[in-house]
Amino acid sequence: MTDDRKEIGKIKEAAKAWEAEVLDPALERSPERAREFRTVSGHPIRRLYTPADLADFDYTRDLGFPGLSPFTRGVYPSMYRGRLWTMRMFAGHGTPEETNQRFRYLLAQGQTGLSVAFDLPTLMGYDSDHPMSRGEVGKCGVAVDSLADMEILFDGIPLQDVTTSMTINSPAAVLWAMYLAVCEKQGVPYDRIGGTLQNDILKEFIAQKEYVFPLEPSMRLVVDTILFGARHLPRWHPVSISGYHIREAGSTAIQELAFTVADGMAYVEATMKAGLNVDAFAPRLSFFFNVHNDFFEEIAKFRAARRVWAKLMRERYGARDPRSWLLRTHAQTAGCALTAQQPYNNVVRVSIQALAAILGGVQSLHTNALDETLALPTQDAATIALRTQQIIAHETGVTHTIDPVGGSYFVESLTREVEEEVWNYLHKIDDLGGMVRAVEQGFPQKEIVDASYRYQQTVEAGEEVVVGVNRFVAEAEEPVSLLRIDPEQIAKQQVERIHRLKGGRDNGGVQKALDGLRRAAEGEDPWGQDLLMPRILEAVRAYATLGEIMGVFREAWGEYVEPAIL
Amino acid sequence: MSEERKIRVLVAKPGLDGHDRGAKVIARAFRDAGFEVIYTGLRQTPEMIVSAAIQEDVDAIGLSCLSGAHMYLFPRIVELLRERGADDVVVFGGGTIPDEDIATLKEAGIAEIFTPGTSTSVAIDYVRTHIRQRA
Amino acid sequence: MEIIERIRQRDVRAIARLMSLVENNAPEATAALKELYSITGQAFIVGITGPPGSGKSTLTDQLTKEFRRGGKTVGIIAVDPTSPFTGGAILADRIRMQQHSLDAGVFIRSMATRGHLGGLAKATGDVVNVLDAAGKEVILVETVGVGQDEVEVVKTADTCVVVTVPGLGDDIQAIKAGILEIADIFVVNKADREGADKTVTEIQTMMGLGPGRSDWVPPILKTVATQGQGIAELAEGILAHRAHLDRRGLRQMRQRERSRALFLELLQEQGTRRLLERASANGTLEQTIERIATRETDPYSAVEELLAKAGL
C-alpha cells in the first residue's frame, strides 16, 4: 500500500512535469479542438487518465474475476471463449401466418431463439376490430387477438426446442397465457419451455408509454407473473428489466442505468413483499439495455451495471444464491442514434455500437437495420445487421480474451464515475419513497424530458455533431427502398377471424371465465394469494380475445392518464 | 389597439404509439419561441384532436406519429377540419414518415412534413410564416 | 353583429374565436363583449385552486363528469403559466380532461397567464363571460397552481374550492397564507395516501384560528379524484354552497362585487392609458419626468398638475 502510494506520488509529479514542459508549450502552439470534452450524455472527460485516477483502486474488490462478484469483468467464467452471445433479432409484422413463415425461415437458418414483435393494438390490449386500432393492425409487429392467432403463429414450431422472447408489457400476462396454452396443445410441459417476457411496466410509465392500467394494478400483474413463473416455469424469464426505451426517450446513459436498476429494485421489493424468497426468483430476472454511440461510456455502463446490481442483491436484499447477483443482459443498438439522412452510414454506427456491447460483456444482442428510422427493416437490411454481429464474433478477435478493456485507466475511471452517479440517483429515488412513488410524482419522466431537450439543443447549436444531419450533409440523396405494409388488408383478415371466432366458440364458457377473472381482479389485497394467471389461462383456453380479457381489467382497475410533464 | 398576438399551436399524438420524445421536444421548442402550445397527451383520435383544435382556436396543429399509421390518421384530421369549416388551421406532421408518403400526404392537405433530423428552428420558422393572418 | 348571433347559437368556432380576440385585446372583442354583457350572469362559476400536484385537473375532469350526469352543460377554463423568459407557454391541462373532448355539452379552453399574477390570466373574467353567454350552466375555472397566492379566483367565482393533498408539508403553510380566507370548500385530494386525516385536522385547526364565519362553515371533503371517489359529495357540497348563497342573497352580492371590481379595473386601466397617451403625444410626459429628475418639481405636484390639465 505504501509502495503504491509512493508510486502514485511519483506519477503525479511526472504528470505535472509533463504538463509544464511538454503539454503547455504544445497547447500554446496549437490549442485543443474544444474547451471541454464530454460524452454524448454530457459526462465530462479528462485529457488523460493515469494510475493517479485510480489511486484507491482495489483489484479484487472493484474488478475481481469473471463469474465472480462484483462481476465487473463479466458474468460467466469463460465469457465468449466458451459461448458467443445470442444473436437474437426481433421480428414480426402483419398476420400471424406471415410471421409464422418468417420464424420458420429463421429457424431453418440455424437461429434457436425467436423474438416476437407485436403490433400496437396488441401492445395496448385492443383487438384488431377496436376503433383505436384503425391504421395500426399488423403495422409494427404481428397482430394477435386470441389463442387462435397464437396457434397459427407457432404452428409447426416445436416449443420445447426454441426459446421465445416476447416484447409485450401491459398485456404480458395474457399473451404469455396464450403461449402457454399453445404449449399445452403441443403437449410440452411448462418446465420444459424457456423464454422471456419483457413485462417491465415501470419503464412504460417512464419512457415508452404503452401503459394501460394505473401503477398499482400494473405492478400486481407483474408480480403475479413472477410468482406464477417461480412455481411452474423454472426456465422462463418473467421480466426483462429494460433501459432500452428509457434511453430512446432521450435519457443519458447514467439515467438509463439508474432508472432501470431502480425499476428492478421495485419488482424485487414487490415480489418479496408478496412472500417469495429473493433467491426463488432473482436468478430469473434479466435485463435489456441500449447501446448508444459513445463507445467507452457504453462499455463503462455495462460494467457498472453488473457491479451495482450485485451489490444491491447481496447487501440490500440479502440474496444468498450467487445466481441472484448476476445482471445478465440483452442489448440493442440505439434506434435513436440512426439517421434518416445517408442511411448507409447507419451500418457503421451499428457496428461500433455492437462492438461496445460486446466489449461491455452482454449475453445477447439485436443489431438495428440501416432503414429502421423509416420503417420495419427489409430482409436485406436485416441481414446486414446480423452479419455485423457475425463479423465481430468471428473476424475481429475481440472475443479471444475476457474483458479486453479491463484495467484501462480511462475505462476503469469511467466505470467508477458512472457507478457513483447511479448511486446518487438511487439515493434520490429512495428519498422519494422508492421507484413506484417516484414515477407517480413524475421524477424520472421529468429528468428524461429535460435531458432529451438539452441534447436536442446541443445538436442544433452544432456542439454535438451528427454526421449527415448537422455536418457533412449531402445535397441530394437517393432514397432507400423500404418495406411496405398494408394495414387495411391485414385488419380485414384479422377482423374476419375475430367474427368467426366469436360465432363459433362456447360463449357461455367465455363469459364464465371472464366473470371469474373479474372477481379475482376486483378482489381486495390479493397480492400473492389468489393468482390471476390461472384465471387468465382459463379465459384464454376458452378463446376469450385479448380485448375482452384486458377489458375486464380496464373495468376493474381503470386506465392510467399520465401527469403532464414537459 | 391590439397587444402582441400569440401564436397558438396544438401538438398532438394521434394513434397508439407512445413515443412522445419528438412531440415533447417540439412542444418545448415552440414554447421557447414564444408560442402557446396546447399539448393533449397520447393516443388521441382524429376526432379528439380536431375538437381540441377548434375549442382552443389554434393557428396550427403539429402531429407526431411513429407507428406508421400516418397515412390513415393525418388525412383524416384534415378531412374533419374541413367538415367543421376549420380548414384554415395549418396542419403539419413529423415522425417515421418515408419520403415516398410525403407527396400523398400533401395532396391530402397536410401542409408540411418534417422528416427525422429536422431542426426545431425550421419548424418554428415554418409556423411563423405559414399561419393565417388575423387579429 | 354576426358573431353575437353565432355565440348565442353555441357555435363552437365563433366562441373560440371570440375568446382569442378577447385574449389578444382586439378592438372587435370589446365591441362583442359590450353586446354580450346583457345576457351574462346566468352561469354558476366554480373556482378550483391549490398547489402544484394537488390534482386540480383530475378533479375538474371528474366534477365535469358529475355535472354532466346531472344534465348540466359545463365550461372549463384551465390556466397555465406563461414563461417569463420566452413569453411562451405549454398548456397541458386538457390531458386529464380528454373524456369530454367529444361532448358537445362541454367546452374546454386553456389559457396562459401572459404575465398576469394571482393565478389567472388577465382575460379570464371576460372568457368566463363568453362561456356564460354561450349558455354554459356551470363554469369551472382552474387556476395556475404554481404555488403562489392564487386568490384572484375569488373575484371571478361564486364558489371557491381549495384543493390540497396529504404530505405536501410546507404547502399547508401556503394555504394558511391567504388562501384559507377564500375557501368555500376544502378538498383533501389523493385521500388514499397516508396522512389524509392529519391534513384534515390541520385544516380544521387553521380554520379555528381564522376569523370566525358564522354563516357558512367550509366543509372539508376527502377525494381520490383518479378513482372518482368523493366527487359526488364534492358536487353536492358545491350545490349546497350555491343554495346557501341564494338563500342569503349572497350570490347577487358577490355578483355586485364582481361588477364593481371589473368596472374599477377597466376604469383604472383605460383612464391611466388615456392620460398617458395624451401626455406622451404632446411631449408633456417626458418633459415632466425630466423636471422631476432634476428636482425642478416633485412627483406629487406633477401628478396633480397633469390631472388638473385633464380637468380632474
Side-chain angles (χ1 to χ4, degrees), chain A residues 97 130 199 211 229-231 237 240 245 258 271 283 297 299 311 313 392 394-395 416 437 448 485 491 496 529 552 554:
Chain A
E97 286 86 350
H130 191 279
N199 201 20
Y211 44 70
R231 282 182 208 169
H237 299 284
S240 170
H245 320 82
T271 310
E297 183 172 54
I299 296 172
K311 286 180 192 170
M313 294 311 289
I392 293 172
H394 301 289
E395 295 186 8
R416 180 189 283 184
R437 286 304 300 273
I448 294 169
I485 293 163
E496 274 167 19
Q529 305 300 317
V552 166
R554 280 185 157 101

PDB file of all heavy atoms in Angstrom, chain A residues 97 130 199 211 229-231 237 240 245 258 271 283 297 299 311 313 392 394-395 416 437 448 485 491 496 529 552 554:
ATOM      1  N   GLU A  97     -49.928 -15.659 -39.826  1.00  0.00           N
ATOM      2  CA  GLU A  97     -49.420 -16.562 -40.870  1.00  0.00           C
ATOM      3  C   GLU A  97     -48.081 -16.072 -41.406  1.00  0.00           C
ATOM      4  O   GLU A  97     -47.126 -16.839 -41.534  1.00  0.00           O
ATOM      5  CB  GLU A  97     -50.415 -16.654 -42.044  1.00  0.00           C
ATOM      6  CG  GLU A  97     -51.662 -17.472 -41.777  1.00  0.00           C
ATOM      7  CD  GLU A  97     -52.773 -16.656 -41.116  1.00  0.00           C
ATOM      8  OE1 GLU A  97     -52.502 -15.520 -40.692  1.00  0.00           O
ATOM      9  OE2 GLU A  97     -53.903 -17.172 -41.025  1.00  0.00           O
ATOM     10  N   HIS A 130     -61.116  -3.003 -32.811  1.00  0.00           N
ATOM     11  CA  HIS A 130     -61.401  -1.841 -31.960  1.00  0.00           C
ATOM     12  C   HIS A 130     -61.171  -0.552 -32.770  1.00  0.00           C
ATOM     13  O   HIS A 130     -60.249  -0.500 -33.579  1.00  0.00           O
ATOM     14  CB  HIS A 130     -60.471  -1.879 -30.740  1.00  0.00           C
ATOM     15  CG  HIS A 130     -60.848  -0.893 -29.675  1.00  0.00           C
ATOM     16  ND1 HIS A 130     -60.492   0.437 -29.743  1.00  0.00           N
ATOM     17  CD2 HIS A 130     -61.543  -1.042 -28.532  1.00  0.00           C
ATOM     18  CE1 HIS A 130     -60.956   1.062 -28.662  1.00  0.00           C
ATOM     19  NE2 HIS A 130     -61.598   0.189 -27.921  1.00  0.00           N
ATOM     20  N   ASN A 199     -42.472  -7.501 -20.121  1.00  0.00           N
ATOM     21  CA  ASN A 199     -43.237  -7.389 -18.882  1.00  0.00           C
ATOM     22  C   ASN A 199     -42.671  -6.375 -17.886  1.00  0.00           C
ATOM     23  O   ASN A 199     -42.806  -6.536 -16.684  1.00  0.00           O
ATOM     24  CB  ASN A 199     -43.285  -8.789 -18.232  1.00  0.00           C
ATOM     25  CG  ASN A 199     -44.417  -8.950 -17.241  1.00  0.00           C
ATOM     26  OD1 ASN A 199     -45.397  -8.206 -17.267  1.00  0.00           O
ATOM     27  ND2 ASN A 199     -44.278  -9.923 -16.352  1.00  0.00           N
ATOM     28  N   TYR A 211     -48.571   2.047 -21.364  1.00  0.00           N
ATOM     29  CA  TYR A 211     -49.253   1.609 -20.147  1.00  0.00           C
ATOM     30  C   TYR A 211     -50.739   1.519 -20.460  1.00  0.00           C
ATOM     31  O   TYR A 211     -51.220   2.126 -21.418  1.00  0.00           O
ATOM     32  CB  TYR A 211     -49.019   2.603 -19.021  1.00  0.00           C
ATOM     33  CG  TYR A 211     -49.152   4.027 -19.462  1.00  0.00           C
ATOM     34  CD1 TYR A 211     -50.382   4.558 -19.813  1.00  0.00           C
ATOM     35  CD2 TYR A 211     -48.031   4.852 -19.594  1.00  0.00           C
ATOM     36  CE1 TYR A 211     -50.511   5.850 -20.268  1.00  0.00           C
ATOM     37  CE2 TYR A 211     -48.158   6.156 -20.062  1.00  0.00           C
ATOM     38  CZ  TYR A 211     -49.399   6.639 -20.396  1.00  0.00           C
ATOM     39  OH  TYR A 211     -49.525   7.920 -20.853  1.00  0.00           O
ATOM     40  N   GLY A 229     -44.398 -17.884 -12.548  1.00  0.00           N
ATOM     41  CA  GLY A 229     -43.185 -18.438 -13.164  1.00  0.00           C
ATOM     42  C   GLY A 229     -42.354 -19.212 -12.151  1.00  0.00           C
ATOM     43  O   GLY A 229     -41.850 -20.299 -12.438  1.00  0.00           O
ATOM     44  N   ALA A 230     -42.221 -18.627 -10.956  1.00  0.00           N
ATOM     45  CA  ALA A 230     -41.409 -19.285  -9.927  1.00  0.00           C
ATOM     46  C   ALA A 230     -42.013 -20.642  -9.551  1.00  0.00           C
ATOM     47  O   ALA A 230     -41.289 -21.587  -9.233  1.00  0.00           O
ATOM     48  CB  ALA A 230     -41.297 -18.391  -8.691  1.00  0.00           C
ATOM     49  N   ARG A 231     -43.334 -20.748  -9.594  1.00  0.00           N
ATOM     50  CA  ARG A 231     -43.975 -22.011  -9.245  1.00  0.00           C
ATOM     51  C   ARG A 231     -43.903 -23.046 -10.355  1.00  0.00           C
ATOM     52  O   ARG A 231     -43.755 -24.235 -10.094  1.00  0.00           O
ATOM     53  CB  ARG A 231     -45.456 -21.779  -8.924  1.00  0.00           C
ATOM     54  CG  ARG A 231     -45.659 -21.192  -7.534  1.00  0.00           C
ATOM     55  CD  ARG A 231     -47.139 -21.028  -7.227  1.00  0.00           C
ATOM     56  NE  ARG A 231     -47.320 -19.939  -6.284  1.00  0.00           N
ATOM     57  CZ  ARG A 231     -48.492 -19.419  -5.975  1.00  0.00           C
ATOM     58  NH1 ARG A 231     -49.591 -19.870  -6.538  1.00  0.00           N
ATOM     59  NH2 ARG A 231     -48.570 -18.440  -5.099  1.00  0.00           N
ATOM     60  N   HIS A 237     -37.881 -16.479 -18.106  1.00  0.00           N
ATOM     61  CA  HIS A 237     -37.571 -15.160 -17.529  1.00  0.00           C
ATOM     62  C   HIS A 237     -38.847 -14.324 -17.554  1.00  0.00           C
ATOM     63  O   HIS A 237     -39.251 -13.860 -18.622  1.00  0.00           O
ATOM     64  CB  HIS A 237     -36.503 -14.439 -18.352  1.00  0.00           C
ATOM     65  CG  HIS A 237     -35.196 -15.163 -18.407  1.00  0.00           C
ATOM     66  ND1 HIS A 237     -34.312 -15.184 -17.354  1.00  0.00           N
ATOM     67  CD2 HIS A 237     -34.632 -15.913 -19.374  1.00  0.00           C
ATOM     68  CE1 HIS A 237     -33.255 -15.898 -17.675  1.00  0.00           C
ATOM     69  NE2 HIS A 237     -33.426 -16.362 -18.902  1.00  0.00           N
ATOM     70  N   SER A 240     -38.047  -8.725 -18.234  1.00  0.00           N
ATOM     71  CA  SER A 240     -36.790  -8.234 -18.779  1.00  0.00           C
ATOM     72  C   SER A 240     -36.733  -6.743 -18.457  1.00  0.00           C
ATOM     73  O   SER A 240     -37.409  -5.926 -19.087  1.00  0.00           O
ATOM     74  CB  SER A 240     -36.770  -8.481 -20.287  1.00  0.00           C
ATOM     75  OG  SER A 240     -35.678  -7.821 -20.856  1.00  0.00           O
ATOM     76  N   HIS A 245     -35.710   1.526 -23.709  1.00  0.00           N
ATOM     77  CA  HIS A 245     -36.714   2.530 -24.079  1.00  0.00           C
ATOM     78  C   HIS A 245     -36.510   3.831 -23.329  1.00  0.00           C
ATOM     79  O   HIS A 245     -36.870   4.898 -23.812  1.00  0.00           O
ATOM     80  CB  HIS A 245     -38.099   1.970 -23.818  1.00  0.00           C
ATOM     81  CG  HIS A 245     -38.206   0.513 -24.209  1.00  0.00           C
ATOM     82  ND1 HIS A 245     -37.766  -0.490 -23.368  1.00  0.00           N
ATOM     83  CD2 HIS A 245     -38.614  -0.068 -25.345  1.00  0.00           C
ATOM     84  CE1 HIS A 245     -37.929  -1.652 -23.982  1.00  0.00           C
ATOM     85  NE2 HIS A 245     -38.437  -1.432 -25.172  1.00  0.00           N
ATOM     86  N   ALA A 258     -29.534   4.001 -14.053  1.00  0.00           N
ATOM     87  CA  ALA A 258     -30.100   4.229 -12.716  1.00  0.00           C
ATOM     88  C   ALA A 258     -31.591   3.890 -12.671  1.00  0.00           C
ATOM     89  O   ALA A 258     -32.053   3.209 -11.756  1.00  0.00           O
ATOM     90  CB  ALA A 258     -29.887   5.687 -12.303  1.00  0.00           C
ATOM     91  N   THR A 271     -42.131  -8.312  -5.094  1.00  0.00           N
ATOM     92  CA  THR A 271     -42.263  -9.772  -5.081  1.00  0.00           C
ATOM     93  C   THR A 271     -41.912 -10.328  -3.705  1.00  0.00           C
ATOM     94  O   THR A 271     -42.563 -11.257  -3.208  1.00  0.00           O
ATOM     95  CB  THR A 271     -41.357 -10.402  -6.166  1.00  0.00           C
ATOM     96  OG1 THR A 271     -41.606  -9.730  -7.405  1.00  0.00           O
ATOM     97  CG2 THR A 271     -41.645 -11.876  -6.323  1.00  0.00           C
ATOM     98  N   PRO A 283     -32.776 -15.129  -9.739  1.00  0.00           N
ATOM     99  CA  PRO A 283     -31.958 -15.652 -10.858  1.00  0.00           C
ATOM    100  C   PRO A 283     -32.689 -15.610 -12.196  1.00  0.00           C
ATOM    101  O   PRO A 283     -32.060 -15.722 -13.241  1.00  0.00           O
ATOM    102  CB  PRO A 283     -31.685 -17.104 -10.439  1.00  0.00           C
ATOM    103  CG  PRO A 283     -31.839 -17.128  -8.959  1.00  0.00           C
ATOM    104  CD  PRO A 283     -32.920 -16.122  -8.660  1.00  0.00           C
ATOM    105  N   GLU A 297     -18.315   5.181 -22.928  1.00  0.00           N
ATOM    106  CA  GLU A 297     -19.373   5.382 -21.948  1.00  0.00           C
ATOM    107  C   GLU A 297     -20.285   4.151 -21.894  1.00  0.00           C
ATOM    108  O   GLU A 297     -20.731   3.720 -20.834  1.00  0.00           O
ATOM    109  CB  GLU A 297     -20.199   6.627 -22.300  1.00  0.00           C
ATOM    110  CG  GLU A 297     -21.273   6.932 -21.284  1.00  0.00           C
ATOM    111  CD  GLU A 297     -21.958   8.260 -21.547  1.00  0.00           C
ATOM    112  OE1 GLU A 297     -22.457   8.485 -22.672  1.00  0.00           O
ATOM    113  OE2 GLU A 297     -21.988   9.088 -20.617  1.00  0.00           O
ATOM    114  N   ILE A 299     -19.472   1.020 -22.731  1.00  0.00           N
ATOM    115  CA  ILE A 299     -18.756  -0.094 -22.109  1.00  0.00           C
ATOM    116  C   ILE A 299     -18.770   0.069 -20.583  1.00  0.00           C
ATOM    117  O   ILE A 299     -19.084  -0.862 -19.835  1.00  0.00           O
ATOM    118  CB  ILE A 299     -17.299  -0.158 -22.633  1.00  0.00           C
ATOM    119  CG1 ILE A 299     -17.304  -0.460 -24.141  1.00  0.00           C
ATOM    120  CG2 ILE A 299     -16.489  -1.201 -21.868  1.00  0.00           C
ATOM    121  CD1 ILE A 299     -15.941  -0.356 -24.806  1.00  0.00           C
ATOM    122  N   LYS A 311     -24.111  -5.692  -5.894  1.00  0.00           N
ATOM    123  CA  LYS A 311     -24.067  -5.126  -4.538  1.00  0.00           C
ATOM    124  C   LYS A 311     -25.461  -5.034  -3.949  1.00  0.00           C
ATOM    125  O   LYS A 311     -25.679  -5.349  -2.769  1.00  0.00           O
ATOM    126  CB  LYS A 311     -23.424  -3.728  -4.567  1.00  0.00           C
ATOM    127  CG  LYS A 311     -21.915  -3.778  -4.779  1.00  0.00           C
ATOM    128  CD  LYS A 311     -21.324  -2.386  -4.806  1.00  0.00           C
ATOM    129  CE  LYS A 311     -19.891  -2.435  -5.314  1.00  0.00           C
ATOM    130  NZ  LYS A 311     -19.335  -1.106  -5.591  1.00  0.00           N
ATOM    131  N   MET A 313     -28.178  -6.778  -4.701  1.00  0.00           N
ATOM    132  CA  MET A 313     -28.790  -8.071  -4.419  1.00  0.00           C
ATOM    133  C   MET A 313     -28.183  -8.707  -3.175  1.00  0.00           C
ATOM    134  O   MET A 313     -28.884  -9.291  -2.363  1.00  0.00           O
ATOM    135  CB  MET A 313     -28.655  -9.006  -5.627  1.00  0.00           C
ATOM    136  CG  MET A 313     -29.428  -8.564  -6.849  1.00  0.00           C
ATOM    137  SD  MET A 313     -31.153  -8.142  -6.515  1.00  0.00           S
ATOM    138  CE  MET A 313     -31.820  -9.745  -6.185  1.00  0.00           C
ATOM    139  N   ILE A 392     -18.095  -9.277 -36.048  1.00  0.00           N
ATOM    140  CA  ILE A 392     -17.456  -9.001 -34.753  1.00  0.00           C
ATOM    141  C   ILE A 392     -17.087 -10.315 -34.056  1.00  0.00           C
ATOM    142  O   ILE A 392     -15.994 -10.469 -33.512  1.00  0.00           O
ATOM    143  CB  ILE A 392     -18.384  -8.155 -33.860  1.00  0.00           C
ATOM    144  CG1 ILE A 392     -18.555  -6.762 -34.463  1.00  0.00           C
ATOM    145  CG2 ILE A 392     -17.828  -8.051 -32.436  1.00  0.00           C
ATOM    146  CD1 ILE A 392     -19.606  -5.912 -33.766  1.00  0.00           C
ATOM    147  N   HIS A 394     -16.511 -13.338 -35.321  1.00  0.00           N
ATOM    148  CA  HIS A 394     -15.596 -14.286 -35.952  1.00  0.00           C
ATOM    149  C   HIS A 394     -14.383 -13.666 -36.626  1.00  0.00           C
ATOM    150  O   HIS A 394     -13.444 -14.367 -36.944  1.00  0.00           O
ATOM    151  CB  HIS A 394     -16.366 -15.125 -36.976  1.00  0.00           C
ATOM    152  CG  HIS A 394     -17.505 -15.879 -36.357  1.00  0.00           C
ATOM    153  ND1 HIS A 394     -17.319 -16.960 -35.517  1.00  0.00           N
ATOM    154  CD2 HIS A 394     -18.851 -15.681 -36.419  1.00  0.00           C
ATOM    155  CE1 HIS A 394     -18.500 -17.408 -35.110  1.00  0.00           C
ATOM    156  NE2 HIS A 394     -19.449 -16.641 -35.634  1.00  0.00           N
ATOM    157  N   GLU A 395     -14.390 -12.356 -36.872  1.00  0.00           N
ATOM    158  CA  GLU A 395     -13.257 -11.790 -37.627  1.00  0.00           C
ATOM    159  C   GLU A 395     -12.384 -10.842 -36.816  1.00  0.00           C
ATOM    160  O   GLU A 395     -11.234 -10.647 -37.143  1.00  0.00           O
ATOM    161  CB  GLU A 395     -13.779 -11.041 -38.869  1.00  0.00           C
ATOM    162  CG  GLU A 395     -14.457 -11.967 -39.880  1.00  0.00           C
ATOM    163  CD  GLU A 395     -14.842 -11.236 -41.175  1.00  0.00           C
ATOM    164  OE1 GLU A 395     -14.453 -10.064 -41.338  1.00  0.00           O
ATOM    165  OE2 GLU A 395     -15.531 -11.860 -42.005  1.00  0.00           O
ATOM    166  N   ARG A 416     -16.232   3.652 -12.745  1.00  0.00           N
ATOM    167  CA  ARG A 416     -16.445   4.064 -11.366  1.00  0.00           C
ATOM    168  C   ARG A 416     -17.306   5.319 -11.281  1.00  0.00           C
ATOM    169  O   ARG A 416     -18.198   5.414 -10.443  1.00  0.00           O
ATOM    170  CB  ARG A 416     -15.083   4.327 -10.721  1.00  0.00           C
ATOM    171  CG  ARG A 416     -15.183   4.749  -9.297  1.00  0.00           C
ATOM    172  CD  ARG A 416     -13.866   5.187  -8.798  1.00  0.00           C
ATOM    173  NE  ARG A 416     -13.014   4.032  -8.518  1.00  0.00           N
ATOM    174  CZ  ARG A 416     -11.792   4.164  -7.974  1.00  0.00           C
ATOM    175  NH1 ARG A 416     -11.317   5.346  -7.702  1.00  0.00           N
ATOM    176  NH2 ARG A 416     -11.072   3.098  -7.717  1.00  0.00           N
ATOM    177  N   ARG A 437     -43.300   5.332  -6.283  1.00  0.00           N
ATOM    178  CA  ARG A 437     -43.683   6.692  -5.864  1.00  0.00           C
ATOM    179  C   ARG A 437     -43.006   7.747  -6.736  1.00  0.00           C
ATOM    180  O   ARG A 437     -43.602   8.770  -7.082  1.00  0.00           O
ATOM    181  CB  ARG A 437     -43.341   6.930  -4.391  1.00  0.00           C
ATOM    182  CG  ARG A 437     -44.257   6.236  -3.408  1.00  0.00           C
ATOM    183  CD  ARG A 437     -45.725   6.591  -3.616  1.00  0.00           C
ATOM    184  NE  ARG A 437     -46.009   8.018  -3.462  1.00  0.00           N
ATOM    185  CZ  ARG A 437     -46.284   8.580  -2.295  1.00  0.00           C
ATOM    186  NH1 ARG A 437     -46.318   7.881  -1.189  1.00  0.00           N
ATOM    187  NH2 ARG A 437     -46.528   9.874  -2.235  1.00  0.00           N
ATOM    188  N   ILE A 448     -35.827  12.775 -17.805  1.00  0.00           N
ATOM    189  CA  ILE A 448     -35.614  12.349 -19.188  1.00  0.00           C
ATOM    190  C   ILE A 448     -36.010  13.447 -20.173  1.00  0.00           C
ATOM    191  O   ILE A 448     -35.290  13.734 -21.133  1.00  0.00           O
ATOM    192  CB  ILE A 448     -36.404  11.048 -19.478  1.00  0.00           C
ATOM    193  CG1 ILE A 448     -35.833   9.902 -18.633  1.00  0.00           C
ATOM    194  CG2 ILE A 448     -36.341  10.699 -20.955  1.00  0.00           C
ATOM    195  CD1 ILE A 448     -36.689   8.647 -18.632  1.00  0.00           C
ATOM    196  N   ILE A 485     -46.176  -2.123 -45.747  1.00  0.00           N
ATOM    197  CA  ILE A 485     -47.173  -2.988 -45.129  1.00  0.00           C
ATOM    198  C   ILE A 485     -48.541  -2.343 -45.326  1.00  0.00           C
ATOM    199  O   ILE A 485     -48.698  -1.136 -45.121  1.00  0.00           O
ATOM    200  CB  ILE A 485     -46.876  -3.147 -43.615  1.00  0.00           C
ATOM    201  CG1 ILE A 485     -45.581  -3.931 -43.455  1.00  0.00           C
ATOM    202  CG2 ILE A 485     -48.019  -3.846 -42.902  1.00  0.00           C
ATOM    203  CD1 ILE A 485     -44.972  -3.817 -42.088  1.00  0.00           C
ATOM    204  N   ALA A 491     -55.913  -5.919 -41.409  1.00  0.00           N
ATOM    205  CA  ALA A 491     -57.015  -5.664 -40.484  1.00  0.00           C
ATOM    206  C   ALA A 491     -58.250  -6.428 -40.919  1.00  0.00           C
ATOM    207  O   ALA A 491     -58.940  -7.042 -40.098  1.00  0.00           O
ATOM    208  CB  ALA A 491     -57.315  -4.164 -40.422  1.00  0.00           C
ATOM    209  N   GLU A 496     -62.173 -10.390 -39.655  1.00  0.00           N
ATOM    210  CA  GLU A 496     -62.983 -11.541 -40.067  1.00  0.00           C
ATOM    211  C   GLU A 496     -62.749 -12.728 -39.144  1.00  0.00           C
ATOM    212  O   GLU A 496     -63.685 -13.429 -38.759  1.00  0.00           O
ATOM    213  CB  GLU A 496     -62.634 -11.954 -41.509  1.00  0.00           C
ATOM    214  CG  GLU A 496     -63.430 -11.153 -42.534  1.00  0.00           C
ATOM    215  CD  GLU A 496     -62.874 -11.318 -43.941  1.00  0.00           C
ATOM    216  OE1 GLU A 496     -62.125 -12.298 -44.190  1.00  0.00           O
ATOM    217  OE2 GLU A 496     -63.186 -10.457 -44.784  1.00  0.00           O
ATOM    218  N   GLN A 529     -51.752 -14.101  -3.126  1.00  0.00           N
ATOM    219  CA  GLN A 529     -52.669 -15.103  -2.585  1.00  0.00           C
ATOM    220  C   GLN A 529     -53.294 -15.890  -3.741  1.00  0.00           C
ATOM    221  O   GLN A 529     -52.825 -16.939  -4.114  1.00  0.00           O
ATOM    222  CB  GLN A 529     -53.754 -14.422  -1.731  1.00  0.00           C
ATOM    223  CG  GLN A 529     -53.189 -13.539  -0.633  1.00  0.00           C
ATOM    224  CD  GLN A 529     -52.305 -14.297   0.345  1.00  0.00           C
ATOM    225  OE1 GLN A 529     -52.636 -15.388   0.760  1.00  0.00           O
ATOM    226  NE2 GLN A 529     -51.138 -13.740   0.663  1.00  0.00           N
ATOM    227  N   VAL A 552     -61.859  -6.591 -19.122  1.00  0.00           N
ATOM    228  CA  VAL A 552     -62.223  -6.916 -17.734  1.00  0.00           C
ATOM    229  C   VAL A 552     -61.333  -6.123 -16.778  1.00  0.00           C
ATOM    230  O   VAL A 552     -61.803  -5.502 -15.819  1.00  0.00           O
ATOM    231  CB  VAL A 552     -62.065  -8.434 -17.481  1.00  0.00           C
ATOM    232  CG1 VAL A 552     -62.091  -8.750 -15.991  1.00  0.00           C
ATOM    233  CG2 VAL A 552     -63.174  -9.195 -18.211  1.00  0.00           C
ATOM    234  N   ARG A 554     -59.593  -3.404 -17.513  1.00  0.00           N
ATOM    235  CA  ARG A 554     -59.847  -1.960 -17.685  1.00  0.00           C
ATOM    236  C   ARG A 554     -61.028  -1.528 -16.824  1.00  0.00           C
ATOM    237  O   ARG A 554     -61.011  -0.472 -16.205  1.00  0.00           O
ATOM    238  CB  ARG A 554     -60.122  -1.628 -19.153  1.00  0.00           C
ATOM    239  CG  ARG A 554     -58.881  -1.517 -20.025  1.00  0.00           C
ATOM    240  CD  ARG A 554     -59.229  -1.071 -21.455  1.00  0.00           C
ATOM    241  NE  ARG A 554     -58.074  -0.457 -22.121  1.00  0.00           N
ATOM    242  CZ  ARG A 554     -57.306  -1.083 -23.011  1.00  0.00           C
ATOM    243  NH1 ARG A 554     -57.575  -2.322 -23.365  1.00  0.00           N
ATOM    244  NH2 ARG A 554     -56.267  -0.463 -23.548  1.00  0.00           N
TER     245      ARG A 554
END
